[in-house]
């Protein structure tokens, strides 16, 4: 009986220590943002060597803001994929997410990279002017978000690279979507 009690205490102690070690690796901010283990594996450093965010918590906060604006409600979500389109300088990051209720979404962040897009259905948020249908960030980040509008309720952003021309293009999945571009 004594041995059984001792083994139970040892097991409880081991699990308690594992929990403390796990929690010490996460900041309070990480816990508040519900950062999943696989999100820590996402590479926030672009091929150019520049960081797209200071840390995963910052990227998660930015994604939460975009989701809240897109769906007009806060939703629990997970960033499921992060990849980069090839570019000569700067970066174009494509971020994919999945909300707890099964809504998939995508947005892009670029900096100092040429990005082609259609000027039809564009909403410009934080800049005094829209330069052209081929943006070059010029120091700050540019965010591209496709928002549902009209008959398209599942609007997503799509990024593509043409190796023959070296051009990167960002489009929305439906013609009725509104592409919101935020230049900072």
């Amino acid at each position: 009986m004594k041995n059984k009690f001792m083994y139970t205490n040892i097991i409880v102690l081991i699990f308690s220590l594992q929990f403390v070690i796990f929690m010490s690796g996460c900041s309070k901010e990480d816990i508040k943002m519900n950062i999943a283990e696989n999100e820590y594996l996402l590479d926030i450093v672009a091929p150019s060597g520049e960081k797209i965010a200071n840390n995963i918590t910052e990227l998660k906060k930015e994604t939460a803001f975009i989701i809240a604006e897109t769906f007009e409600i806060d939703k629990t979500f997970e960033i499921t994929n992060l990849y980069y389109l090839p570019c000569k300088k700067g970066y174009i990051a494509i971020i994919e997410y999945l909300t707890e209720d099964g809504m998939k979404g995508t947005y892009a962040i670029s900096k100092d990279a040429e990005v082609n897009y259609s000027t039809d259905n564009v909403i410009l948020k934080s800049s005094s002017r829209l330069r052209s249908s081929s943006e070059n960030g010029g120091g700050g980040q540019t965010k591209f978000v496709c928002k549902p509008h009209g008959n398209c309720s599942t609007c997503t952003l799509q990024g593509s690279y043409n190796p023959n021309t070296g051009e990167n293009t960002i489009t929305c999945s439906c013609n009725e979507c509104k592409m919101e571009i935020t230049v900072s």
Side-chain angles (χ1 to χ4, degrees), residues 150-164:
N151 293 328
C152 185
S153 61
T154 58
C155 185
T156 58
L157 179 134
Q158 300 166 334
S160 64
Y161 171 72
N162 183 335
N164 297 328

Side-chain angles (χ1 to χ4, degrees), residues 161-177:
Y161 171 72
N162 183 335
N164 297 328
T165 63
E167 292 180 338
N168 288 296
T169 303
I170 292 179
T171 58
C172 294
S173 60
C174 300
N175 289 334
E176 291 134 5
C177 295

